[in-house]
């Protein structure tokens, strides 16, 4: 899409005005998304846990997270070791 700033007429629409409207909508959408993200982050940060003390679920979630992180690191290493060399040779 060509960007027009002079308000040049393209077909039936004024492209410069449309570009300005899209820019304004994008700024508004990004701003509102930031407000929502900050609000949710504050709620998550200051909200206490709802799991009972002595429950197995929080401990299992921590272990599952650690295992998933280990798998992700192992996958990255495997990819670098076995596919990285092939890419360098080609």
């Amino acid at each position: 899409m060509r960007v027009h700033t002079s308000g040049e007429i393209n077909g039936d629409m004024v492209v410069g005005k449309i570009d300005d409207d899209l820019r304004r909508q994008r700024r508004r959408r990004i701003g509102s998304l930031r407000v929502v993200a900050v609000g949710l982050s504050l709620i998550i940060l200051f909200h206490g846990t709802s799991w009972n003390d002595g429950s197995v679920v929080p401990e299992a979630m921590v272990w599952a997270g650690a295992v998933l992180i280990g798998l992700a690191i192992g996958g990255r290493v495997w990819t670098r070791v076995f596919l990285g060399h092939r890419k360098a040779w080609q």
Side-chain angles (χ1 to χ4, degrees):
M1 178 178 183
R2 290 178 30 202
V3 177
H4 303 279
T5 56
S6 63
E8 177 182 321
I9 296 177
N10 184 4
D12 294 331
M13 297 185 278
V14 178
V15 177
K17 181 173 178 1
I18 292 172
D19 288 344
D20 291 340
D21 290 342
L22 289 175
R23 246 184 248 111
R24 196 174 307 114
Q25 285 178 353
R26 186 182 315 133
R27 275 193 228 115
R28 196 176 318 133
R29 186 173 50 240
I30 290 172
S32 61
L33 182 63
R34 286 180 180 163
V35 169
V36 169
V38 167
L40 286 176
S41 297
L42 289 173
I43 289 171
I44 291 170
L45 182 64
F46 292 112
H47 187 271
T49 183
S50 59
W51 299 108
N52 297 333
D53 289 338
S55 177
V56 178
V57 176
E59 191 69 25
M61 289 175 65
V62 169
W63 278 101
V67 168
L68 289 173
I69 290 172
L71 287 172
I73 292 171
R76 293 291 297 226
V77 169
W78 179 84
T79 303
R80 179 69 181 141
V81 168
F82 291 106
L83 299 179
H85 293 286
R86 180 179 298 170
K87 186 175 180 181
W89 288 98
Q90 293 178 350

